[in-house]
Amino acid sequence: MKISSIKTCVVETKERHYKIYFGNDIVKKANIILDRYIKHKSIVIIYDKVLIRKLNTLEISVSKAASNVTSIGINSGENSKSFNNLNFLCEKIIKTGIDRKSILIAFGGGVIGDLTGFVASVLLRGINFIQIPTTMLSQVDSSIGGKTGINSIFGKNLIGSFHQPIAVLSDANILNSLNSREILSGYAEIIKHSLIQDKNFFLWLEKNGKNVIKGNNKLRTECIIRACKIKSDIIKKDEFEFGQRALLNLGHTFGHAIESYLEYDGTILHGEAVSIGIIMAFKLAIKTNSCSQKDLDSVTKHFNDVGLPVSLRQITDKIKSPKKIWALMQNDKKSSEGILKFIIPSKIGQCSIKRNIDPEIILSLLNEEIKNE
Ligand code: GLY
């Protein structure tokens, strides 16, 4: 692999500026890119157990630069973002004899990235970590921007920290082993980026989305880089989510409540919940006179065209109580001083943060979504 075939995007934060490296088979040649970060250092790879067959390739590559490499496997699934695993990983990593220069590598999707980042942020009062996201969703969203954390019984990601990685390796080929549902789940976050601030990108997705999902490598890489650039741009302006970064939560207030209601039992993937959440955000925008029916129709059409769900009934009939969804929404981090923030589209490519939306309007929307099933 020629280094020249690797594209990069820089994420500028207060903690550091770091690069996202995009390319094919990056995992195989991780040592070439990571040499300057990991040379002569102790490395601990935290990997998703489903990646056991690919782990060996990464270990061989990292071993060429690092002084020693240990790997620890974690089960797939949102339930792994737990206090138990935080404790398990901290004790196990300390036992390997790490020092403050040691580096953790997160090798997996969002669950592994969030958990590893949080462990890195507290171990020895903070050590460095590298993200190697292996799902489309984590490549375009969770691996960038330094949000780390675990879940509480009261909701998702309620315990965590901001801790930026020192580098992100985004391997296009690794996505080829994902099933179409997982790819679509990541694609939902890509659409989200376009809806927040780039109408031209949405138009591009309308034209090319199906081929991105089918696996056209060139288009896929182009759209992942574009989504990462939008996210990096937002993070540069508002790393700690005092304002604009909250726009990245479009569809997430509804989405997280849906996932939490279902207790992360695998019925729904994160991107599917976000996809339904985005459509609900557009419907809320219409109810509050922020956005046109035409824009909702275009977004719904694109979701239908590519196969993303637009309503809960397409995925499950397990959700019966609008009031419980509403209660879960209020536990979300997006509430501040008891007031829930909503990300409301004003048109495709433009959203704003709204507080004080009449709860009756939200409950009526939830009733329509759930009782109509
Ligand atoms: N996933 C939303 C954010 O990183 O802010």
Side-chain angles (χ1 to χ4, degrees), residues 141-142 144-145 147 192 231 235 241 245 248-249 252:
D141 192 18
S142 59
I144 319 158
K147 280 191 180 174
K192 177 197 80 178
K231 180 155 184 182
I235 284 163
E241 202 169 308
R245 182 165 181 172
L248 292 167
N249 297 326
H252 282 63

